[in-house]
Amino acid sequence: LSPRFEDAHFTLAKLYERNRAAEKSIQAYRALLAVKPGHQGALYSLGYLYDSQGKGAQAREVLEQLTKVNPRHADGWYLLGRIAEKENRLTQATEFYRLAIAAKPDLVDAHYNLGFIYRSNGKQDEAAKQFNDVIRLKPEYAEAHLNLGVVYTALGKLDDAEKEYETALALKPAMVETHYNLGIFYELHKKDMAKALAQYRKYLELGGKDERVERIVGQVEK
């Protein structure tokens, strides 16, 4: 009745998407874009679908079109950052996450991912700022506390690091990575082997498989 009715195209595409009919959803979004090339919802959803299918090049193409239509589309920049990070294009990922944060300062996942890249690249002060922003926005984010503990350890702020590790454990007592990192922290930085062993035992109890940790605990228990 009305082939150029944008809302009908968009609603149909969303219905297909909810029903996990990805190819039909993609076709419906592309039909909408043929009617209105700059439709932001269709561009973002299409980019998201392509990314979920591992089609990075197609996802980048439509998301780049989206951010040209709306240079302050935070979710578009964030998804471009995620794609770049998966493809190990970390300089671009950093820039995309920054643009996402500039458009939406409370975008928690952009702060977290940016902090992780900074941490991996040895930029500990920048990483600390991002993880602190995450915690300010979402205090219950255990992984952010864990990563901030790792960053503070690298910066020599051992008391602050210990508090962050303890907070991470209080929030998620079964998080294997925290027990592992806290064990290393006590062993190598606090020189408290008794506390280190307690963390290493809990790490192994929760399914951790590090051979070095297994050897240390095994030697003590012989």
Side-chain angles (χ1 to χ4, degrees):
L1 294 175
S2 182
R4 299 182 66 82
F5 186 18
E6 295 172 18
D7 288 348
H9 281 291
F10 191 65
T11 303
L12 180 61
K14 282 294 180 187
L15 180 61
Y16 283 138
E17 193 173 348
R18 283 196 298 272
N19 289 339
R20 302 180 184 276
E23 290 306 320
K24 287 185 177 180
S25 182
I26 287 171
Q27 290 171 14
Y29 284 128
R30 294 189 71 85
L32 172 52
L33 291 170
V35 172
K36 186 174 182 179
H39 193 289
Q40 294 181 40
L43 288 167
Y44 177 77
S45 296
L46 189 55
Y48 185 89
L49 280 170
Y50 280 143
D51 177 51
S52 69
Q53 294 181 332
K55 298 176 179 178
Q58 292 96 318
R60 285 197 306 274
E61 182 181 350
V62 293
L63 291 168
E64 286 167 1
Q65 185 179 344
L66 169 62
T67 52
K68 287 177 182 175
V69 171
N70 180 6
R72 294 191 62 78
H73 197 291
D75 291 334
W77 287 120
Y78 172 74
L79 190 49
L80 277 168
R82 260 186 41 193
I83 293 168
E85 188 175 0
K86 283 191 292 187
E87 295 173 348
N88 205 36
R89 295 182 289 111
L90 298 185
T91 300
Q92 283 185 301
T94 298
E95 182 60 22
F96 293 147
Y97 288 141
R98 284 174 177 164
L99 288 165
I101 291 167
K104 189 178 180 183
D106 63 351
L107 190 53
V108 172
D109 289 340
H111 285 289
Y112 181 84
N113 291 1
L114 184 55
F116 198 86
I117 291 174
Y118 282 143
R119 200 201 98 182
S120 300
N121 288 338
K123 297 179 178 179
Q124 307 299 351
D125 289 318
E126 292 95 328
K129 180 183 182 306
Q130 295 303 321
F131 289 130
N132 272 306
D133 283 339
V134 172
I135 291 165
R136 174 177 55 80
L137 295 165
K138 191 175 180 180
E140 70 277 15
Y141 202 143
E143 289 83 358
H145 288 284
L146 166 59
N147 278 282
L148 187 55
V150 173
V151 168
Y152 280 152
T153 301
L155 291 170
K157 298 180 178 180
L158 300 187
D159 290 341
D160 291 333
E162 188 171 13
K163 288 177 185 175
E164 295 301 329
Y165 286 134
E166 289 173 349
T167 301
L169 279 183
L171 290 166
K172 280 191 177 181
M175 190 158 65
V176 175
E177 297 89 345
T178 307
H179 290 287
Y180 177 78
N181 281 282
L182 195 49
I184 290 176
F185 174 79
Y186 283 130
E187 179 191 356
L188 302 180
H189 299 280
K190 285 286 190 172
K191 310 299 181 184
D192 189 333
M193 203 59 199
K195 286 187 176 180
L197 283 168
Q199 295 302 324
Y200 286 151
R201 287 190 181 101
K202 189 64 178 178
Y203 164 78
L204 295 174
E205 179 186 322
L206 290 169
K209 299 295 184 183
D210 185 88
E211 291 182 5
R212 177 180 172 277
V213 172
E214 290 175 344
R215 187 168 61 252
I216 290 171
V217 173
Q219 287 171 349
V220 170
E221 294 179 349
K222 279 183 180 179

